[in-house]
Amino acid sequence: MPILRQIAQLGHPVLRQKALEVTDPGLPLIQSLIDDMLVTVVEANGVGLAAPQVYEPLRIFIIASRPNSRYPKAPVMEPAALLNPEIIWASDEKVKAWEGCLSIPGFRGFVPRSTKIGVKYLTRSGALREEEFNGFLARIFQHEFDHLNATVFLDRVESTQELICEKEYLRMFNSAD
Ligand code: ZN
């Protein structure tokens, strides 16, 4: 049975170390980690979760976009685990949007990200996939990919003026709707 994992909070060194390649996706340890991450991301109302965020410095993340209380306008998709992901190309066109992070509760930052990316990764069964991501999914990918390289969204904001508390973010969102 999958178990809920604790989420590392900013300041824990695991978030600031480069994650290691997964050499064998088929290992039971890797498969159960993925199962645990899939239940943990849903429970935490996240749209993505990287293995270092659950204290495992491995190159694995989950993308699990769907509307929830933290991201009411997120697109719906089947949750997926991505192993050893790489960004092959990224559009020069970038757009800023508000981002949060389960490891940095209570804050949102206005983060520039490429609008389109071309990526490759292994699925949890070890199959190589090449794919393009746009918009919100491209944003999640870039955010989670950063976690594998010891980077968090705070490192990407252009000014501390573009950091706000989640409570104010939700107020802004609700009034704009
Ligand atoms: Zn994060």
Side-chain angles (χ1 to χ4, degrees), residues 113-127:
R113 299 282 188 191
S114 290
T115 54
K116 265 190 182 179
I117 52 173
V119 306
K120 63 177 182 180
Y121 59 90
L122 298 178
T123 65
R124 68 179 297 174
S125 50

Side-chain angles (χ1 to χ4, degrees), residues 79-90:
L82 290 72
L83 287 65
N84 298 341
E86 285 175 45
I87 296 176
I88 303 163
W89 54 264

Side-chain angles (χ1 to χ4, degrees), residues 23-84:
T23 50
D24 182 359
L27 286 176
L29 199 83
I30 299 295
Q31 292 296 316
S32 62
L33 169 61
I34 291 169
D35 289 335
D36 292 352
M37 288 173 70
L38 285 166
V39 297
T40 303
V41 70
V42 171
E43 174 70 19
N45 283 321
V47 290
L49 182 69
Q53 292 183 277
V54 294
Y55 302 90
E56 304 281 358
L58 292 166
R59 302 189 79 76
I60 302 174
F61 60 71
I62 305 291
I63 296 183
S65 176
R66 74 202 177 294
N68 63 34
S69 59
R70 291 179 65 248
Y71 294 96
K73 284 185 172 169
V76 182
M77 61 168 283
E78 193 60 36
L82 290 72
L83 287 65
N84 298 341

Side-chain angles (χ1 to χ4, degrees), residues 15 48-50 53 70-71 99-104 113 143-144 147 151-153:
L15 296 173
L49 182 69
Q53 292 183 277
R70 291 179 65 248
Y71 294 96
E99 253 175 57
C101 180
L102 295 173
S103 294
I104 308 167
R113 299 282 188 191
H143 177 115
E144 303 308 332
H147 276 300
T151 299
V152 298
F153 80 84

